[in-house]
Short mmCIF file of all heavy atoms in Angstrom, two decimals:
data_model
loop_
_atom_site.label_atom_id
_atom_site.label_comp_id
_atom_site.label_asym_id
_atom_site.label_seq_id
_atom_site.Cartn_x
_atom_site.Cartn_y
_atom_site.Cartn_z
N PHE A 1 -1.97 -16.36 -28.93
CA PHE A 1 -2.72 -15.32 -28.21
C PHE A 1 -3.00 -15.76 -26.77
O PHE A 1 -2.77 -15.00 -25.83
CB PHE A 1 -4.03 -15.01 -28.94
CG PHE A 1 -4.86 -13.97 -28.24
CD1 PHE A 1 -4.49 -12.64 -28.28
CD2 PHE A 1 -6.00 -14.34 -27.54
CE1 PHE A 1 -5.26 -11.68 -27.63
CE2 PHE A 1 -6.77 -13.39 -26.88
CZ PHE A 1 -6.40 -12.06 -26.93
N GLU A 2 -3.50 -16.96 -26.60
CA GLU A 2 -3.82 -17.45 -25.26
C GLU A 2 -2.58 -17.55 -24.38
O GLU A 2 -2.61 -17.25 -23.19
CB GLU A 2 -4.53 -18.81 -25.31
CG GLU A 2 -5.94 -18.76 -25.86
CD GLU A 2 -6.00 -18.83 -27.38
OE1 GLU A 2 -4.95 -18.89 -28.03
OE2 GLU A 2 -7.13 -18.83 -27.90
N VAL A 3 -1.47 -17.98 -24.98
CA VAL A 3 -0.22 -18.11 -24.23
C VAL A 3 0.25 -16.75 -23.76
O VAL A 3 0.59 -16.57 -22.58
CB VAL A 3 0.87 -18.81 -25.09
CG1 VAL A 3 2.21 -18.74 -24.40
CG2 VAL A 3 0.48 -20.26 -25.36
N TRP A 4 0.28 -15.76 -24.64
CA TRP A 4 0.76 -14.44 -24.26
C TRP A 4 -0.18 -13.74 -23.29
O TRP A 4 0.26 -13.02 -22.39
CB TRP A 4 1.03 -13.58 -25.49
CG TRP A 4 2.26 -14.03 -26.20
CD1 TRP A 4 2.33 -14.61 -27.43
CD2 TRP A 4 3.60 -13.99 -25.69
NE1 TRP A 4 3.62 -14.93 -27.73
CE2 TRP A 4 4.43 -14.56 -26.68
CE3 TRP A 4 4.18 -13.55 -24.52
CZ2 TRP A 4 5.81 -14.68 -26.52
CZ3 TRP A 4 5.55 -13.67 -24.36
CH2 TRP A 4 6.35 -14.22 -25.34
N VAL A 5 -1.47 -13.97 -23.42
CA VAL A 5 -2.42 -13.41 -22.46
C VAL A 5 -2.19 -14.01 -21.08
O VAL A 5 -2.19 -13.30 -20.07
CB VAL A 5 -3.88 -13.62 -22.93
CG1 VAL A 5 -4.86 -13.30 -21.81
CG2 VAL A 5 -4.18 -12.76 -24.14
N SER A 6 -1.96 -15.31 -21.02
CA SER A 6 -1.72 -15.94 -19.72
C SER A 6 -0.42 -15.44 -19.10
O SER A 6 -0.35 -15.21 -17.89
CB SER A 6 -1.71 -17.46 -19.84
OG SER A 6 -0.63 -17.90 -20.62
N TRP A 7 0.61 -15.25 -19.92
CA TRP A 7 1.87 -14.68 -19.40
C TRP A 7 1.65 -13.26 -18.89
O TRP A 7 2.15 -12.88 -17.82
CB TRP A 7 2.95 -14.66 -20.49
CG TRP A 7 3.72 -15.92 -20.61
CD1 TRP A 7 3.56 -16.90 -21.54
CD2 TRP A 7 4.76 -16.36 -19.74
NE1 TRP A 7 4.44 -17.92 -21.32
CE2 TRP A 7 5.20 -17.61 -20.22
CE3 TRP A 7 5.37 -15.83 -18.62
CZ2 TRP A 7 6.22 -18.33 -19.60
CZ3 TRP A 7 6.39 -16.55 -18.01
CH2 TRP A 7 6.80 -17.78 -18.50
N GLY A 8 0.90 -12.48 -19.63
CA GLY A 8 0.62 -11.10 -19.23
C GLY A 8 -0.17 -11.03 -17.93
O GLY A 8 0.15 -10.23 -17.04
N LEU A 9 -1.19 -11.87 -17.81
CA LEU A 9 -1.98 -11.88 -16.57
C LEU A 9 -1.15 -12.35 -15.39
O LEU A 9 -1.25 -11.80 -14.28
CB LEU A 9 -3.21 -12.77 -16.74
CG LEU A 9 -4.31 -12.22 -17.64
CD1 LEU A 9 -5.41 -13.26 -17.84
CD2 LEU A 9 -4.88 -10.94 -17.07
N THR A 10 -0.32 -13.34 -15.61
CA THR A 10 0.55 -13.83 -14.54
C THR A 10 1.51 -12.72 -14.09
O THR A 10 1.70 -12.49 -12.89
CB THR A 10 1.35 -15.06 -15.00
OG1 THR A 10 0.43 -16.08 -15.38
CG2 THR A 10 2.26 -15.57 -13.91
N GLY A 11 2.08 -12.02 -15.04
CA GLY A 11 2.98 -10.92 -14.72
C GLY A 11 2.26 -9.80 -13.96
O GLY A 11 2.80 -9.24 -13.00
N ALA A 12 1.03 -9.49 -14.38
CA ALA A 12 0.26 -8.45 -13.71
C ALA A 12 -0.06 -8.84 -12.26
O ALA A 12 0.04 -8.02 -11.35
CB ALA A 12 -1.03 -8.18 -14.48
N VAL A 13 -0.42 -10.08 -12.05
CA VAL A 13 -0.73 -10.55 -10.70
C VAL A 13 0.51 -10.52 -9.82
O VAL A 13 0.47 -10.08 -8.67
CB VAL A 13 -1.35 -11.97 -10.73
CG1 VAL A 13 -1.42 -12.57 -9.35
CG2 VAL A 13 -2.74 -11.91 -11.35
N LEU A 14 1.65 -10.97 -10.35
CA LEU A 14 2.89 -10.95 -9.58
C LEU A 14 3.29 -9.51 -9.24
O LEU A 14 3.73 -9.22 -8.13
CB LEU A 14 4.00 -11.65 -10.34
CG LEU A 14 3.87 -13.17 -10.46
CD1 LEU A 14 4.98 -13.73 -11.33
CD2 LEU A 14 3.90 -13.81 -9.08
N LEU A 15 3.12 -8.61 -10.19
CA LEU A 15 3.41 -7.20 -9.94
C LEU A 15 2.49 -6.64 -8.85
O LEU A 15 2.93 -5.90 -7.96
CB LEU A 15 3.26 -6.41 -11.23
CG LEU A 15 3.75 -4.98 -11.24
CD1 LEU A 15 5.25 -4.93 -10.95
CD2 LEU A 15 3.46 -4.34 -12.58
N TRP A 16 1.22 -7.01 -8.89
CA TRP A 16 0.26 -6.57 -7.86
C TRP A 16 0.66 -7.10 -6.48
O TRP A 16 0.54 -6.39 -5.48
CB TRP A 16 -1.15 -7.03 -8.22
CG TRP A 16 -2.13 -6.63 -7.17
CD1 TRP A 16 -2.76 -7.44 -6.30
CD2 TRP A 16 -2.58 -5.31 -6.87
NE1 TRP A 16 -3.57 -6.72 -5.47
CE2 TRP A 16 -3.49 -5.41 -5.80
CE3 TRP A 16 -2.31 -4.06 -7.41
CZ2 TRP A 16 -4.11 -4.30 -5.26
CZ3 TRP A 16 -2.94 -2.96 -6.86
CH2 TRP A 16 -3.83 -3.08 -5.81
N PHE A 17 1.17 -8.32 -6.43
CA PHE A 17 1.60 -8.90 -5.15
C PHE A 17 2.79 -8.15 -4.56
O PHE A 17 3.03 -8.19 -3.36
CB PHE A 17 1.95 -10.38 -5.30
CG PHE A 17 0.76 -11.28 -5.39
CD1 PHE A 17 0.89 -12.54 -5.94
CD2 PHE A 17 -0.48 -10.90 -4.93
CE1 PHE A 17 -0.18 -13.41 -6.02
CE2 PHE A 17 -1.57 -11.75 -5.01
CZ PHE A 17 -1.42 -13.00 -5.55
N VAL A 18 3.55 -7.47 -5.39
CA VAL A 18 4.69 -6.69 -4.91
C VAL A 18 4.24 -5.27 -4.53
O VAL A 18 4.63 -4.74 -3.50
CB VAL A 18 5.80 -6.63 -5.98
CG1 VAL A 18 6.88 -5.65 -5.59
CG2 VAL A 18 6.38 -8.02 -6.19
N ILE A 19 3.42 -4.65 -5.36
CA ILE A 19 3.03 -3.25 -5.17
C ILE A 19 2.01 -3.09 -4.04
O ILE A 19 2.11 -2.15 -3.25
CB ILE A 19 2.49 -2.68 -6.49
CG1 ILE A 19 3.62 -2.57 -7.50
CG2 ILE A 19 1.85 -1.32 -6.27
CD1 ILE A 19 3.17 -2.17 -8.87
N SER A 20 1.05 -3.96 -3.95
CA SER A 20 -0.04 -3.82 -2.98
C SER A 20 0.44 -3.71 -1.53
O SER A 20 0.01 -2.81 -0.81
CB SER A 20 -1.03 -4.97 -3.14
OG SER A 20 -2.06 -4.88 -2.20
N PRO A 21 1.33 -4.58 -1.05
CA PRO A 21 1.78 -4.44 0.33
C PRO A 21 2.55 -3.14 0.58
O PRO A 21 2.46 -2.55 1.66
CB PRO A 21 2.69 -5.64 0.56
CG PRO A 21 2.32 -6.62 -0.48
CD PRO A 21 1.83 -5.82 -1.64
N LYS A 22 3.29 -2.68 -0.42
CA LYS A 22 4.02 -1.43 -0.25
C LYS A 22 3.07 -0.25 -0.10
O LYS A 22 3.28 0.64 0.72
CB LYS A 22 4.96 -1.20 -1.43
CG LYS A 22 6.11 -2.17 -1.45
CD LYS A 22 7.06 -1.89 -2.58
CE LYS A 22 8.13 -2.94 -2.58
NZ LYS A 22 9.44 -2.45 -2.87
N LEU A 23 2.00 -0.24 -0.89
CA LEU A 23 1.01 0.82 -0.77
C LEU A 23 0.30 0.76 0.58
O LEU A 23 0.06 1.79 1.21
CB LEU A 23 -0.01 0.73 -1.91
CG LEU A 23 0.53 0.98 -3.31
CD1 LEU A 23 -0.57 0.74 -4.34
CD2 LEU A 23 1.08 2.38 -3.44
N LYS A 24 -0.03 -0.42 1.02
CA LYS A 24 -0.70 -0.59 2.31
C LYS A 24 0.23 -0.14 3.45
O LYS A 24 -0.22 0.51 4.40
CB LYS A 24 -1.12 -2.05 2.50
CG LYS A 24 -1.89 -2.30 3.75
CD LYS A 24 -3.23 -1.60 3.72
CE LYS A 24 -4.06 -1.96 4.92
NZ LYS A 24 -5.28 -1.20 5.01
N HIS A 25 1.50 -0.48 3.36
CA HIS A 25 2.48 -0.07 4.37
C HIS A 25 2.55 1.45 4.46
O HIS A 25 2.54 2.02 5.55
CB HIS A 25 3.84 -0.66 4.04
CG HIS A 25 4.93 -0.23 4.95
ND1 HIS A 25 5.03 -0.69 6.24
CD2 HIS A 25 5.95 0.64 4.79
CE1 HIS A 25 6.07 -0.13 6.83
NE2 HIS A 25 6.65 0.68 5.96
N ARG A 26 2.60 2.10 3.31
CA ARG A 26 2.65 3.57 3.29
C ARG A 26 1.40 4.16 3.92
O ARG A 26 1.47 5.13 4.68
CB ARG A 26 2.79 4.05 1.85
CG ARG A 26 3.00 5.54 1.72
CD ARG A 26 3.21 5.96 0.30
NE ARG A 26 4.40 5.29 -0.23
CZ ARG A 26 4.63 5.10 -1.52
NH1 ARG A 26 3.77 5.50 -2.41
NH2 ARG A 26 5.73 4.49 -1.92
N GLN A 27 0.24 3.57 3.65
CA GLN A 27 -1.02 4.04 4.22
C GLN A 27 -1.02 3.88 5.74
O GLN A 27 -1.46 4.77 6.47
CB GLN A 27 -2.18 3.27 3.60
CG GLN A 27 -3.53 3.68 4.09
CD GLN A 27 -4.63 2.81 3.48
OE1 GLN A 27 -4.36 1.74 2.92
NE2 GLN A 27 -5.85 3.25 3.58
N VAL A 28 -0.52 2.77 6.24
CA VAL A 28 -0.48 2.53 7.69
C VAL A 28 0.47 3.52 8.36
O VAL A 28 0.16 4.08 9.42
CB VAL A 28 -0.06 1.07 7.99
CG1 VAL A 28 0.27 0.89 9.45
CG2 VAL A 28 -1.16 0.12 7.56
N ILE A 29 1.62 3.78 7.75
CA ILE A 29 2.58 4.73 8.31
C ILE A 29 1.96 6.12 8.40
O ILE A 29 2.09 6.81 9.43
CB ILE A 29 3.88 4.76 7.47
CG1 ILE A 29 4.61 3.42 7.56
CG2 ILE A 29 4.79 5.90 7.90
CD1 ILE A 29 5.07 3.06 8.95
N LYS A 30 1.26 6.56 7.38
CA LYS A 30 0.60 7.87 7.41
C LYS A 30 -0.46 7.92 8.49
O LYS A 30 -0.60 8.92 9.20
CB LYS A 30 -0.03 8.18 6.05
CG LYS A 30 0.96 8.56 4.99
CD LYS A 30 0.25 8.86 3.68
CE LYS A 30 1.23 9.20 2.59
NZ LYS A 30 0.56 9.50 1.32
N SER A 31 -1.21 6.85 8.64
CA SER A 31 -2.25 6.79 9.67
C SER A 31 -1.65 6.88 11.06
O SER A 31 -2.17 7.60 11.93
CB SER A 31 -3.06 5.50 9.51
OG SER A 31 -3.98 5.37 10.55
N VAL A 32 -0.57 6.17 11.30
CA VAL A 32 0.09 6.21 12.61
C VAL A 32 0.63 7.61 12.88
O VAL A 32 0.52 8.13 13.99
CB VAL A 32 1.21 5.14 12.68
CG1 VAL A 32 2.09 5.36 13.91
CG2 VAL A 32 0.62 3.76 12.68
N HIS A 33 1.19 8.24 11.87
CA HIS A 33 1.72 9.59 12.02
C HIS A 33 0.61 10.58 12.38
O HIS A 33 0.76 11.40 13.28
CB HIS A 33 2.44 10.02 10.75
CG HIS A 33 3.04 11.39 10.82
ND1 HIS A 33 4.11 11.68 11.65
CD2 HIS A 33 2.73 12.54 10.19
CE1 HIS A 33 4.41 12.96 11.52
NE2 HIS A 33 3.59 13.49 10.63
N ARG A 34 -0.53 10.48 11.68
CA ARG A 34 -1.67 11.36 11.99
C ARG A 34 -2.16 11.14 13.41
O ARG A 34 -2.46 12.09 14.13
CB ARG A 34 -2.80 11.13 10.99
CG ARG A 34 -2.60 11.79 9.67
CD ARG A 34 -3.88 11.81 8.85
NE ARG A 34 -4.52 10.50 8.76
CZ ARG A 34 -4.37 9.66 7.76
NH1 ARG A 34 -3.58 9.97 6.75
NH2 ARG A 34 -4.99 8.50 7.73
N GLN A 35 -2.24 9.89 13.82
CA GLN A 35 -2.70 9.56 15.17
C GLN A 35 -1.72 10.13 16.21
O GLN A 35 -2.15 10.67 17.23
CB GLN A 35 -2.83 8.05 15.35
CG GLN A 35 -3.31 7.62 16.71
CD GLN A 35 -4.74 8.02 16.99
OE1 GLN A 35 -5.54 8.20 16.07
NE2 GLN A 35 -5.08 8.17 18.24
N THR A 36 -0.44 10.03 15.96
CA THR A 36 0.57 10.56 16.88
C THR A 36 0.43 12.08 17.01
O THR A 36 0.47 12.62 18.12
CB THR A 36 1.99 10.21 16.39
OG1 THR A 36 2.08 8.80 16.26
CG2 THR A 36 3.04 10.70 17.36
N LEU A 37 0.26 12.76 15.89
CA LEU A 37 0.08 14.21 15.93
C LEU A 37 -1.19 14.59 16.69
O LEU A 37 -1.20 15.53 17.48
CB LEU A 37 0.03 14.78 14.52
CG LEU A 37 1.33 14.73 13.71
CD1 LEU A 37 1.11 15.24 12.30
CD2 LEU A 37 2.42 15.51 14.40
N ARG A 38 -2.26 13.85 16.47
CA ARG A 38 -3.52 14.10 17.15
C ARG A 38 -3.35 13.94 18.66
O ARG A 38 -3.80 14.78 19.45
CB ARG A 38 -4.60 13.15 16.62
CG ARG A 38 -5.97 13.40 17.18
CD ARG A 38 -7.01 12.44 16.60
NE ARG A 38 -7.03 12.44 15.15
CZ ARG A 38 -6.81 11.38 14.39
NH1 ARG A 38 -6.54 10.20 14.95
NH2 ARG A 38 -6.85 11.45 13.08
N GLU A 39 -2.71 12.86 19.08
CA GLU A 39 -2.50 12.63 20.51
C GLU A 39 -1.60 13.70 21.12
O GLU A 39 -1.82 14.12 22.26
CB GLU A 39 -1.90 11.24 20.73
CG GLU A 39 -2.87 10.12 20.45
CD GLU A 39 -2.25 8.75 20.51
OE1 GLU A 39 -1.02 8.65 20.76
OE2 GLU A 39 -2.98 7.76 20.32
N ARG A 40 -0.62 14.17 20.38
CA ARG A 40 0.27 15.23 20.87
C ARG A 40 -0.52 16.53 21.07
O ARG A 40 -0.34 17.22 22.08
CB ARG A 40 1.41 15.45 19.88
CG ARG A 40 2.49 16.37 20.43
CD ARG A 40 3.65 16.50 19.47
NE ARG A 40 4.25 15.19 19.22
CZ ARG A 40 4.94 14.87 18.15
NH1 ARG A 40 5.14 15.75 17.19
NH2 ARG A 40 5.45 13.67 18.00
N ARG A 41 -1.41 16.87 20.11
CA ARG A 41 -2.23 18.08 20.25
C ARG A 41 -3.15 17.98 21.45
O ARG A 41 -3.31 18.94 22.21
CB ARG A 41 -3.05 18.32 18.98
CG ARG A 41 -2.28 18.90 17.85
CD ARG A 41 -3.20 19.42 16.76
NE ARG A 41 -4.24 18.48 16.37
CZ ARG A 41 -4.17 17.63 15.35
NH1 ARG A 41 -3.07 17.59 14.61
NH2 ARG A 41 -5.16 16.82 15.06
N ILE A 42 -3.75 16.82 21.66
CA ILE A 42 -4.65 16.62 22.79
C ILE A 42 -3.88 16.76 24.10
O ILE A 42 -4.33 17.43 25.03
CB ILE A 42 -5.35 15.24 22.70
CG1 ILE A 42 -6.34 15.23 21.54
CG2 ILE A 42 -6.04 14.90 24.02
CD1 ILE A 42 -6.92 13.87 21.24
N SER A 43 -2.71 16.18 24.17
CA SER A 43 -1.91 16.25 25.38
C SER A 43 -1.48 17.68 25.66
O SER A 43 -1.48 18.12 26.80
CB SER A 43 -0.73 15.30 25.24
OG SER A 43 0.46 15.87 25.57
N GLN A 44 -1.14 18.44 24.63
CA GLN A 44 -0.74 19.85 24.82
C GLN A 44 -1.91 20.68 25.29
O GLN A 44 -1.75 21.56 26.14
CB GLN A 44 -0.17 20.42 23.52
CG GLN A 44 1.20 19.90 23.19
CD GLN A 44 1.69 20.39 21.84
OE1 GLN A 44 0.94 21.01 21.08
NE2 GLN A 44 2.94 20.08 21.52
N SER A 45 -3.10 20.42 24.76
CA SER A 45 -4.27 21.19 25.19
C SER A 45 -4.65 20.85 26.62
O SER A 45 -5.11 21.71 27.37
CB SER A 45 -5.44 20.97 24.24
OG SER A 45 -5.91 19.66 24.35
#
C-alpha cells in the first residue's frame, strides 16, 4: 500500500509539473490578447 501510494503521489506531482506551466502560459497569452485589444480600442477612440 505504501509503495503504490508513493508511486501514485510521485506520478501526480510529475503530471502537475507538466500541466501547470501550460495552463499558466495559456492564461498569460489571453491576458496579453485582452490588453492588446484594450489598447487598440483606446487608440481608436
Side-chain angles (χ1 to χ4, degrees):
F1 179 74
E2 290 85 358
V3 170
W4 287 112
V5 168
S6 66
W7 274 102
L9 288 174
T10 301
V13 169
L14 290 175
L15 191 61
W16 178 251
F17 283 160
V18 171
I19 292 173
S20 178
K22 290 182 183 220
L23 294 175
K24 184 65 175 174
H25 176 73
R26 186 177 300 158
Q27 181 183 15
V28 168
I29 294 297
K30 286 181 182 180
S31 175
V32 168
H33 181 68
R34 281 194 310 264
Q35 181 68 25
T36 303
L37 292 176
R38 185 179 306 121
E39 290 173 359
R40 190 176 300 156
R41 282 194 312 265
I42 291 171
S43 132
Q44 287 175 353
S45 68

